[in-house]
Amino acid sequence: MSNDPYALAATAAAALKSTAGVESFDVALVMGSGWVPAADAIGTTVAEIPVTDLPGFAPPAVAGHAGRIRAVTTASGRNVLIFLGRTHLYEGLGVEPVVHGVRTAIAAGVSTVVLTNAAGGLRPEHQKVGEPVLISDHINLTGAHPLTGARFVDMTDTYTPRLRDLAREVDPSLAEGVYVAFRGPTYETPAEVRMSRILGGDMVGMSTVLEAIAAREGGAEVLGLSLVTNPGAGLVGEPLNHQEVLEVGRATAARMGVLLANVVDKL
Ligand code: 8IG
């Protein structure tokens, strides 16, 4: 097996296309914590493959992250890859497994990558738990980066304005915000939450930014959506817990599914 991550992604993409019997894919959706139940609304399942059947993917490590890739055809005839779960930097496997799904999707033909996550809200005064927020930009505080060498990729419009406009056509109530990514796996301290607000952040999470960078490097457009499942640590009294994240996901799955299906239809 090659130790070139792009060659590994090309190998995984070839296996994925032949297993699914699909010649090329158009769109990839990465379903974060809380978003997996929304996947059923996107279209008709053509195939579902455990990630571990393909080269380069780490087995799932988090409850609510199923570790499967679903190939779906939408009503409008688009071929969609849905990643039911993702690999996180905090799993300790390094940055390459984190972005392997996005690179595989791009190698399989994808030109639009929709990244979803569950996140802490830094603006509880106007972010309700269970509300989706469009990611307008990000701040990468993970201390990691998927690119090495002189790869001076422009990051001005990482979260493509055209796709955000389109998402707002589907749901005019969508707010936008800046996603601040930490490595995790701990949630932030209250001081780190205050810092993130001062830096201009609106949500905090442990995913998405490295995948967005890899997608931009690969020439794909990115749409990002955070499901706010808790206020950032210290902003309200309660300590944070992962079960609540999954419950918010289950409670909002229908709305998130309709939102994603309608967005994908308009792409
Ligand atoms: I859900 O408050 C979820 N994921 N870093 N902070 C970070 N990640 C999160 C949070 C949070 N809530």
Side-chain angles (χ1 to χ4, degrees):
M1 194 58 63
S2 168
N3 57 14
D4 169 0
Y6 303 92
L8 189 61
T11 308
L16 178 58
K17 289 189 290 183
S18 77
T19 307
V22 175
E23 249 172 61
S24 184
F25 288 93
D26 307 303
V27 182
L29 304 180
V30 179
M31 307 304 259
S33 306
W35 287 83
V36 169
D40 296 342
I42 310 300
T44 308
T45 300
V46 180
E48 196 168 298
I49 303 157
V51 290
T52 45
D53 283 5
L54 300 173
F57 286 92
V62 185
H65 287 232
R68 302 175 74 82
I69 305 175
R70 187 182 292 174
V72 164
T73 307
T74 65
S76 59
R78 294 219 175 61
N79 292 323
V80 180
L81 281 174
I82 307 179
F83 291 83
L84 303 167
R86 57 157 56 93
T87 298
H88 295 82
L89 191 65
Y90 60 68
E91 291 171 45
L93 304 171
V95 70
E96 261 147 32
V98 173
V99 295
H100 183 59
V102 164
R103 285 183 173 152
T104 297
I106 290 172
V110 159
S111 56
T112 307
V113 176
V114 181
L115 301 172
T116 69
N117 60 54
L122 295 175
R123 311 283 166 192
E125 61 283 9
H126 53 85
Q127 288 170 337
K128 279 193 236 105
V129 163
E131 290 280 318
V133 179
L134 273 172
I135 301 176
S136 59
D137 203 347
H138 77 219
I139 298 175
N140 178 11
L141 298 184
T142 66
H145 202 287
L147 311 183
T148 45
R151 302 287 299 136
F152 306 122
V153 177
D154 180 74
M155 297 291 284
T156 309
D157 286 327
T158 304
Y159 301 88
T160 316
R162 184 183 72 82
L163 297 180
R164 280 146 56 197
D165 289 348
L166 195 147
R168 272 192 307 265
E169 280 172 29
V170 168
D171 182 349
S173 77
L174 279 174
E176 288 201 340
V178 173
Y179 180 88
V180 181
F182 285 85
R183 177 188 180 277
T186 55
Y187 293 116
E188 293 68 40
T189 62
E192 288 163 344
V193 163
R194 289 192 300 274
M195 174 188 80
S196 300
R197 282 165 54 102
I198 290 166
L199 293 179
D202 300 295
M203 297 85 81
V204 267
M206 306 177 196
S207 69
T208 302
V209 302
L210 303 175
E211 292 151 276
I213 293 166
R216 295 305 293 143
E217 185 209 22
E221 292 192 319
V222 178
L223 180 70
L225 282 160
S226 287
L227 177 65
V228 172
T229 55
N230 59 273
L235 296 179
V236 300
E238 312 266 300
L240 312 181
N241 97 56
H242 185 61
Q243 283 316 311
E244 280 167 9
V245 173
L246 301 183
E247 276 158 34
V248 172
R250 279 189 285 273
T252 58
R255 179 175 174 204
M256 299 312 134
V258 169
L259 171 63
L260 287 177
N262 288 334
V263 168
V264 169
D265 255 353
K266 281 186 168 253
L267 290 172

